[in-house]
Amino acid sequence: MRNEERMTSQVIETRALWLVIAIIAGIDLVWLRASGMSIAVAPAKPVMFAIVASLALVYVWFRPDRRIAELATACAQLIAFTAVAAVLSYLTVTSNFPLVDRQLAAIDGALHLDWLAYFDWVDAHPEIKSILNTAYDSCLVQTAVLLVSLSACSRFEQMGEFVWLFMMALLVAIPISWIFPAASAWVQFDVIARADAYHLADFDALRAGQMTHIPLAEVNGLITFPSFHTALAVILIYASRGVKVLFPAFLVLNLLVIASTPTIGGHYFIDVIAGAVLVLCLIGVRRISWRTLFARGTASPSYQVGYVRADQRRR
């Protein structure tokens, strides 16, 4: 495929991701208005978004620098997407569909996976529990390290893959968890007193119709099935492939993240399996679609278009 066609396919994907963010924001606004709910936006996220979005504009259009432009664009998309997706996730819980905890626990049993025995074993080994807890909380830092590393190594295609997989995995996980909500394995196996069930206050209040205000700065992950923590761990491993030092470190760390998900995250084993399968399916879809529909270019759409126009102005 010619360079012009490659550039066009890249532009389409970038614009499509921004369009997805805009559509979700629109759904949020309509749903909030219809339900009488509201959100509180702390200044931190808008300020962060404004900074990275401004950097992207400057280094795409006025002082073309691909590394900074790619990094800033990826950060802007992730900040915007996580905000609108978090609101949508909270809104779906208000539908109060029947809980499927009993069914998820039954699937674990059918697979001969004893959640309570695993929880008890981890709880009886404080050192292991501490390691798993640290790993579970590392995903945000890992994401930052990954984006900076990929930008420094000029692995822009992998950066784009990470953003796409992150967004698509959450877009698939939210509707599934909406239709098949679950409180958590902590609740099902009655170990709330021994766990940090951080999400239950919001989850229960939303289902009971008692929460009408969503503080965006304090939202929690409410998705049980499939496990998005597991999905993100697999995405981080995949997106770091080929990067010396980073890949082996991410492989070990994210295997620990996956191992921590049942106990530290309160997920059933089937949640973990479903989260991993979801990402593997998305990777397959992306590879097939790009081979058949798009050809992979060597430059990102935003940077390439900005660079060409800036170059034309200099001439």
Side-chain angles (χ1 to χ4, degrees), residues 4 29 46-47 59 62 101 110 122 136 143 153 180 195 206 225 230 243 246 249 253 256-257 263:
E4 293 83 359
L29 291 174
V47 169
Y59 287 99
F62 304 108
D101 289 270
V122 171
Y136 189 83
T143 298
C153 296
F180 303 107
L206 287 165
F225 175 79
T230 299
V243 182
L246 189 65
L253 182 54
L256 289 172
V257 171
T263 58

Side-chain angles (χ1 to χ4, degrees), residues 36-63:
M37 297 181 68
S38 61
I39 60 173
V41 182
K45 274 202 171 183
V47 169
M48 289 173 59
F49 177 79
I51 291 172
V52 293
S54 298
L55 285 173
L57 287 173
V58 169
Y59 287 99
V60 166
W61 296 99
F62 304 108
R63 298 184 59 187

